Amino acid sequence: KLTDETTKMKSAVLAAIHTLQDAPASLAERLRYAVSAANREIFSVAAEQSELAGMGTTVVAFLGAGPRGAIAHVGDSRAYRLRGGELELLTADHTWVAEQVTAGNLSEDQARVHPFKSVVTRALASILDASVEITASDLNPDMIEHAEAVGTSRPVAWRQADVMHLP
């Protein structure tokens, strides 16, 4: 049943992107709209099905058109760029410890072992209007090499099929 819901959510995201394809919207605006549409769909499904109450997810997504691109990110899923043999983190975690490090309340070393290190402060479906962080730049899909869900044991390599190109 969850697979059916996942398919519906993917369809909602693709429909949202295609809805804006000919609109005078930037890649960042299109991607924010798509991730927000996915959030509304997840929120709606979770509200309708009691076994999914409290469900949420993190996301990292890339949308590219020619030499331009935008990354959307909510939670602790990460995007990296591999350029010249150097791996560069492109997103900042939306976690309690990351916020404390940024505020100067915890060191990086303290954050790595803190009992709240996995507490996510932003997630899709946690609220109806999730706060989506967007980074736009001159990225292209070949520069985005890995996405990582922090709770997983390994990075997930992008496949060319995972990247949607717009004219």
Side-chain angles (χ1 to χ4, degrees):
K1 187 169 183 173
L2 197 53
T3 302
D4 292 341
E5 299 307 330
T6 302
T7 301
K8 285 182 197 174
M9 288 176 229
K10 285 181 182 178
S11 295
V13 170
L14 292 175
I17 290 172
H18 286 296
T19 297
L20 293 180
Q21 188 163 349
D22 296 326
S26 69
L27 289 173
E29 292 167 327
R30 293 176 191 182
L31 196 51
R32 182 182 309 279
Y33 181 79
V35 173
S36 294
N39 181 65
R40 288 188 301 276
E41 181 69 22
I42 297 167
F43 188 87
S44 173
V45 168
E48 293 170 3
Q49 300 177 31
S50 61
E51 68 272 16
L52 301 178
M55 176 181 85
T57 188
T58 64
V59 65
V60 62
F62 175 81
L63 180 64
R68 299 170 301 139
I71 299 170
H73 139 259
V74 178
D76 61 356
S77 293
R78 297 174 176 172
Y80 293 89
R81 172 175 39 213
L82 181 63
R83 185 186 283 170
E86 296 291 320
L87 195 60
E88 174 188 2
L89 179 62
L90 299 174
T91 55
D93 289 352
H94 299 139
T95 61
W96 186 85
V97 294
E99 292 171 2
Q100 296 308 305
V101 169
T102 299
N105 297 328
L106 286 177
S107 70
E108 292 282 345
D109 290 336
Q110 291 171 317
R112 275 189 277 284
V113 297
H114 198 281
F116 294 165
K117 68 182 179 184
S118 297
V119 175
V120 177
T121 56
R122 293 189 205 178
L124 295 185
S126 58
I127 59 172
L128 185 56
D129 293 318
S131 178
V132 180
E133 187 170 328
I134 302 287
T135 305
S137 74
D138 64 350
L139 302 173
N140 68 55
D142 297 327
M143 292 180 187
I144 305 285
E145 292 291 326
H146 291 91
E148 175 186 32
V150 174
T152 64
S153 59
R154 60 180 170 71
V156 179
W158 288 92
R159 301 175 319 217
Q160 194 60 29
D162 293 333
V163 180
M164 173 182 280
H165 295 274
L166 297 177

